[in-house]
Amino acid sequence: MKKTLFFLFLALQLGAQNPNRTFLHLESKEDGIEIAVSDGYYWIKVLADHTVETSFIPKGETFNPVSHATLLNKHVAQYKAVENNTEIQLSTPKINVVITKQPFQIRYTNANRQVLFTERLGYIKKDSTEVLDFNLTQEEKLYGGGARALGMNRRGNRLALYNRAHYGYETRAELMNFCMPIVISSKQYLVHFDNPAIGHLDLDSQKNNTLQYETISGRKTYQVIVGASWPELIRNYTELTGRQPLPPRWVFGNFASRFGYHSQEEVEKTIQKFENDKIPVDAIILDLYWFGKTVQGTMGNLDWDKDNFPNPEKMMANLSAKGVKTVLITEPFILTTSSKWKEAADQKVLATFKDGSPATWDFYFGNTGIVDVFKPEAKTWFWNIYKRLINQGAGGIWGDLGEPEVFPSKVITAGGKADEIHNIYGHNWAKLITEGYRNDFPTQRPFILMRAGYSGSQRFGMIPWSGDVSRSWGGLQSQMEIALQMGMQGMGYMHSDLGGFAGDYFDNELYLRWLQYGVFNPIFRPHAQEEVASEVARKDIVTKAKAKKSVELRYQLLPYNYTLAYQNSSTGIPLMRPLFFEEPKNEALQTVADTYLWGADFLIKPIVNPGITSTEVYFPNTANWFDFYTHKKYSGGKKATVSVVEEHIPTFVRANTLIPMTQVVQNTAAYQNSQLDVLAYLDGVGRSQRTFYFDNGTTPNAQSEEGNHELLVASLDVSLKKISLSLEQKTTGTPAEKKGTITLYNCSISPKTVVQNGKKIPFEWNAKTKKLTISYTHNQEKTSIVIN
């Protein structure tokens, strides 16, 4: 009976190919192969050893070579193509494509010949849509599709590909601001459907082991990418679509932000409160009221309301002198009641109707048109507005409503009809801004906060956030999944409005737990509607004191966090990482989002429900782990119940690794690379090596230019009788001085001497707690410290 069922399953699988498609002939090209079939042709290009691109061009269509997402389309990789009577095999060192001639089928395997996935019916033409249809294996989990709140395994969902805001969402949001046509499998391959037009991504919603990509029009092109590990897979994907430029260092500080500041006086008093309470802050974000007194009717003014902001240049200059950047919200909508409407209409910078007239429609903020960011003249017009604001002193740009929030199908842009370019509007808006910075402000790293984007938007420096989340425990509960998923899709800076945005729910416990989670987020930015204060400095005395501790820890972690940013810009690896990165074969971890890794060496368990006094944590088996606060040891590969206190969330550090930290400063303008504290939790015999990254925090491309950055290799070697540490500069130039404190917890030996480069130095030893503290100075190419 079992054999009968097996052969029935096999027959169903083999019988799933498109019966109307037959193989005609093969032609080899420089970068791949072209296969003629009865209803069109396939073009399979080799983009890299780990990436192949497959396009189907139906009869009567011409191939469109334009990709808005990818960068490797001109790359020529090495490959082999072999044909026999029954099949064609295209092989690279990392990926193979096997084409069966009759019945026609394409399947993809990795270097070990493990089948990843297979074209089932391939291309299908329906009445109003076109479909690409594939087989899945029964056991694989699926991730991707952009930003959603669905559960970590997104298999079983049919996902709309239409960027749209979901106001006040909590634990489930099927459609959000970033709808990216990406599927990532637990089998460690990634498929990117390279077409921006709207449609659907069906992740086996019918439970028949089928993946379908459905679109209204455009390219039938997809890339298949493989990797031997999760970091390698993401590195390969971001090689294809681009990597995030290193943001300015101040971006890793604390933001003051709310909806919104109504006047220059309110802005200045808010920052003064931070200073009076000695709460670190690096930026203040101005929402809608900088250009209008009312929310409705003023959008598109894109200039200061001089009644309430009489001297914005002086305001921003004074803030900048204190080390605080000013970030301004902008939208692409130009209301017909705004001061810019006539100018925008006369200069023809707006999207149009079919007759060429400016397209207008009603939405919440008023009757509006939209800037055509695909039109060269409109890009220039829009950028000149930003250029003026930056010259006035704006330190960053916030692009809001860029889905676009309301964008009727009948609207036409220079890039195509609304539905064809809807999902890449925010993508191209960010591109416009980053290119403007590159041309007119080449010595500045831009800060571009955006609510909507597309595959590859990270290469424009876009900093995404998770939209108008509910100010509720349910809103907090979905944030880890969203950030982890987006990090795997190249958008490593996905973060949330800390404390929650939508609604007037007042709960200081929720606020504190969200901020405690935010310490271990790419961006630390409390933001909310103004009914309940979002800024730490505007909380009651007790809450403010507790929240201040989270802000201070954020600043203490600056060397660690900045190194994570460097790693992301160099390799694409996200700052927040799922646990299955550590144990890829542990199926139980493939759906876990409530615990995650912050970089390689912090294990974080956010508290997302009220009144919690204990919680269960799984500790990855790649190391033992220590409680960051109590210094208690937990064995890797096991679960444990840990106590939960109100002062912080459960935070653990990998054993036998060096963690870089620094002292608290009022903002990053006062931060010095020379101030470097290092801590480690020792656990028997072990070795580790970590590389810390430093630069001036402002120079673009500093990490790729010799002399503009510093790489410091920190090594730790723990044996039974001695402990050795070293700091070694790996970049050219004069050694950059470092000084601070080295703190070793759980030290297994009672030290008699501590020797730095052959000279004894003083130390503090607590025999009861086994804590060793050393003050050091590093001012040469290599500093070695030996503890006996």
Side-chain angles (χ1 to χ4, degrees):
M1 183 64 180
K2 288 184 178 178
K3 287 186 178 179
T4 302
L5 289 174
F6 170 77
F7 285 116
L8 175 61
F9 170 76
L10 187 62
L12 288 171
Q13 290 290 93
L14 293 177
Q17 298 90 2
N18 191 328
N20 300 317
R21 182 167 299 124
T22 57
F23 171 82
L24 298 179
H25 61 80
L26 166 71
E27 183 178 348
S28 292
K29 303 282 188 179
E30 181 183 15
D31 55 357
I33 58 176
E34 186 178 298
I35 301 170
V37 293
S38 53
D39 57 343
Y41 69 95
Y42 283 89
W43 186 10
I44 302 176
K45 295 173 61 178
V46 178
L47 301 183
D49 287 351
H50 46 71
T51 302
V52 296
E53 176 180 279
T54 300
S55 299
F56 181 75
I57 301 90
K59 274 188 175 180
E61 287 192 17
T62 302
F63 177 66
N64 175 9
V66 177
S67 170
H68 296 273
T70 67
L71 299 174
L72 290 178
N73 57 327
K74 294 183 179 180
H75 180 76
V76 178
Q78 297 299 313
Y79 75 94
K80 292 181 180 179
V82 179
E83 180 182 12
N84 60 35
N85 290 334
T86 59
E87 66 180 23
I88 303 160
Q89 291 198 29
L90 182 150
S91 302
T92 81
K94 300 289 181 67
I95 191 170
N96 308 288
V97 186
V98 182
I99 302 99
T100 303
K101 293 182 177 180
Q102 186 61 37
F104 188 85
Q105 185 183 63
I106 302 175
R107 65 183 185 273
Y108 300 84
T109 71
N110 59 18
N112 298 323
R113 304 292 173 175
Q114 176 193 17
V115 176
L116 301 177
F117 84 127
T118 306
E119 279 206 2
R120 180 174 174 262
L121 299 176
Y123 171 78
I124 308 165
K125 175 66 175 174
K126 295 186 176 180
D127 290 339
S128 60
T129 62
E130 299 172 279
V131 176
L132 297 176
D133 180 278
F134 305 87
N135 278 331
L136 297 166
T137 57
Q138 189 168 354
E139 75 280 0
E140 60 190 305
K141 315 294 192 302
L142 299 180
Y143 317 103
R148 323 260 178 170
L150 300 168
M152 198 63 180
N153 178 16
R154 295 179 169 178
R155 186 166 181 165
N157 291 282
R158 186 170 187 263
L159 307 177
L161 297 173
Y162 189 88
N163 290 352
R164 176 175 288 168
H166 184 158
Y167 178 82
Y169 71 92
E170 295 193 37
T171 57
R172 187 168 181 87
E174 297 182 11
L175 188 59
M176 292 179 66
N177 313 71
F178 289 82
C179 295
M180 294 151 69
I182 297 170
V183 181
I184 307 172
S185 168
S186 57
K187 295 167 69 174
Q188 288 179 202
Y189 69 86
L190 182 152
V191 184
H192 173 246
F193 295 96
D194 195 355
N195 178 26
I198 67 172
H200 286 84
L201 197 58
D202 193 317
L203 306 181
D204 195 27
S205 67
Q206 300 301 309
K207 302 193 184 307
N208 60 352
N209 298 326
T210 300
L211 164 67
Q212 288 191 334
Y213 168 73
E214 184 176 357
T215 181
I216 61 165
S217 64
R219 285 156 52 99
K220 276 67 70 176
T221 296
Y222 61 92
Q223 295 92 22
V224 180
I225 306 160
V226 298
S229 66
W230 284 108
E232 182 180 301
L233 178 63
I234 295 170
R235 181 167 66 245
N236 294 343
Y237 169 71
T238 55
E239 180 184 343
L240 175 71
T241 58
R243 297 195 176 116
Q244 184 97 21
L246 194 62
R249 187 167 56 204
W250 63 263
V251 169
F252 299 94
N254 177 33
F255 288 73
S257 184
R258 66 157 60 187
F259 177 29
Y261 300 109
H262 292 258
S263 68
Q264 181 171 333
E265 181 183 19
E266 189 176 1
V267 169
E268 292 168 340
K269 285 184 175 179
T270 297
I271 294 302
Q272 189 62 54
K273 286 186 69 65
F274 279 90
E275 292 177 332
N276 292 345
D277 291 328
K278 293 183 171 52
I279 300 171
V281 64
D282 260 271
I284 187 163
I285 299 184
L286 276 61
D287 213 312
L288 300 175
Y289 298 111
W290 74 270
F291 56 72
K293 297 177 182 63
T294 59
V295 170
Q296 294 175 312
T298 61
M299 187 172 289
N301 286 345
L302 296 171
D303 205 351
W304 295 92
D305 173 15
K306 288 298 185 71
D307 291 336
N308 289 327
F309 293 88
N311 198 338
E313 293 92 339
K314 185 174 186 297
M315 177 191 75
M316 290 188 286
N318 289 343
L319 292 173
S320 182
K322 295 179 176 185
V324 178
K325 306 293 183 183
T326 305
V327 179
L328 303 177
I329 194 173
T330 59
E331 297 85 8
F333 295 101
I334 311 296
L335 299 190
T336 56
T337 54
S338 74
S339 60
K340 284 283 190 296
W341 172 259
K342 186 176 188 307
E343 176 186 324
D346 290 346
Q347 295 191 27
K348 301 185 184 303
V349 301
L350 301 170
T352 67
F353 288 132
K354 190 175 182 179
D355 64 3
S357 63
T360 58
W361 59 91
D362 292 330
F363 77 141
Y364 174 78
F365 297 96
N367 184 254
T368 193
I370 193 169
V371 178
D372 185 351
V373 297
F374 301 91
K375 188 175 184 180
E377 299 88 343
K379 291 168 63 176
T380 299
W381 180 85
F382 211 3
W383 170 249
N384 283 336
I385 291 170
Y386 287 121
K387 184 177 179 179
R388 171 175 52 80
L389 295 172
I390 296 165
N391 280 324
Q392 288 178 342
I397 301 298
W398 175 7
D400 199 16
L401 312 185
E403 294 78 26
E405 181 160 292
V406 180
F407 201 29
S409 298
K410 60 185 176 180
V411 176
I412 298 170
T413 75
K417 297 177 181 177
D419 288 348
E420 294 171 335
I421 53 83
H422 177 95
N423 289 336
I424 54 169
Y425 188 95
H427 180 81
N428 281 269
W429 185 12
K431 180 182 179 183
L432 176 162
I433 297 171
T434 197
E435 288 178 347
Y437 266 97
R438 193 177 299 138
N439 293 330
D440 291 324
F441 304 98
T443 62
Q444 292 185 37
R445 297 183 197 173
F447 173 71
I448 307 170
L449 183 67
M450 283 274 177
R451 197 174 80 170
Y454 181 65
S455 314
S457 289
Q458 69 273 359
R459 69 177 180 267
F460 303 130
M462 179 188 288
I463 304 290
W465 91 98
S466 60
D468 294 341
V469 59
S470 168
R471 186 174 0 206
S472 65
W473 289 99
L476 173 57
Q477 288 161 17
S478 60
Q479 295 309 306
M480 285 63 72
E481 173 203 340
I482 294 170
L484 290 170
Q485 291 269 357
M486 287 291 280
M488 292 173 65
Q489 298 171 77
M491 304 289 284
Y493 285 84
M494 174 56 80
H495 66 289
S496 62
D497 291 340
L498 299 183
F501 174 79
D504 57 1
Y505 179 70
F506 180 79
D507 186 334
N508 281 333
E509 182 186 6
L510 170 66
Y511 177 79
L512 291 169
R513 290 305 191 199
W514 214 317
L515 263 62
Q516 290 164 2
Y517 159 66
V519 171
F520 304 97
N521 261 212
I523 304 294
F524 188 94
R525 187 182 57 84
H527 179 71
Q529 292 175 330
E530 59 189 327
E531 288 85 351
V532 180
S534 57
E535 307 95 331
V536 175
R538 292 195 177 275
K539 291 295 181 179
D540 64 85
I541 293 174
V542 174
T543 305
K544 179 165 51 180
K546 294 175 182 177
K548 183 180 178 182
K549 294 294 184 184
S550 293
V551 177
E552 290 176 337
L553 178 56
R554 177 72 177 184
Y555 279 78
Q556 287 177 287
L557 288 170
L558 186 58
Y560 183 86
N561 294 348
Y562 202 56
T563 295
L564 298 188
Y566 161 72
Q567 293 170 353
N568 174 263
S569 69
S570 303
T571 69
I573 190 168
L575 291 78
M576 291 175 63
R577 304 166 192 177
L579 291 189
F580 57 75
F581 273 39
E582 289 288 291
E583 297 183 43
K585 295 183 179 180
N586 187 340
E587 292 187 11
L589 299 182
Q590 292 174 357
T591 58
V592 171
D594 63 355
T595 311
Y596 66 93
L597 292 157
W598 177 240
D601 297 324
F602 277 95
L603 180 68
I604 308 300
K605 178 65 182 277
I607 299 302
V608 296
N609 287 290
I612 299 298
T613 58
S614 66
T615 189
E616 188 176 73
V617 177
Y618 175 77
F619 296 90
N621 65 11
T622 48
N624 292 329
W625 301 82
F626 284 81
D627 190 300
F628 183 63
Y629 299 97
T630 68
H631 318 311
K632 181 179 177 179
K633 175 183 169 180
Y634 293 90
S635 297
K638 297 181 179 179
K639 291 182 179 180
T641 299
V642 303
S643 297
V644 174
V645 297
E646 66 175 12
E647 289 80 10
H648 53 79
I649 58 176
T651 304
F652 308 92
V653 179
R654 187 186 299 271
N656 288 335
T657 55
L658 295 169
I659 304 293
M661 298 183 70
T662 192
Q663 301 299 305
V664 177
V665 290
Q666 184 59 32
N667 50 58
T668 57
Y671 168 75
Q672 299 293 324
N673 284 329
S674 59
Q675 175 59 53
L676 181 67
D677 296 331
V678 180
L679 64 85
Y681 295 83
L682 307 185
D683 182 36
V685 174
R687 293 183 178 181
S688 69
Q689 189 176 89
R690 295 291 186 266
T691 299
F692 308 150
Y693 175 83
F694 305 90
D695 63 25
N696 64 9
T698 59
T699 301
N701 301 314
Q703 71 273 32
S704 60
E705 296 177 3
E706 198 65 51
N708 281 335
H709 70 276
E710 176 192 356
L711 293 173
L712 188 69
V713 177
S715 301
L716 175 65
D717 187 350
V718 184
S719 66
L720 294 175
K721 295 185 178 181
K722 72 175 182 179
I723 301 167
S724 301
L725 299 90
S726 70
L727 299 174
E728 183 176 4
Q729 182 168 303
K730 285 298 182 182
T731 40
T732 60
T734 304
E737 183 178 81
K738 298 285 182 290
K739 57 184 178 181
T741 300
I742 297 172
T743 305
L744 304 179
Y745 296 98
N746 198 41
C747 194
S748 59
I749 64 174
S750 298
K752 298 178 178 60
T753 61
V754 177
V755 177
Q756 177 177 315
N757 292 342
K759 295 182 179 180
K760 291 183 178 180
I761 59 173
F763 61 90
E764 295 181 13
W765 168 245
N766 187 319
K768 183 177 180 180
T769 62
K770 296 184 178 182
K771 175 183 175 183
L772 176 64
T773 307
I774 306 164
S775 294
Y776 79 98
T777 300
H778 164 76
N779 54 15
Q780 51 196 18
E781 187 174 319
K782 184 174 182 178
T783 295
S784 297
I785 297 173
V786 179
I787 303 158
N788 288 292

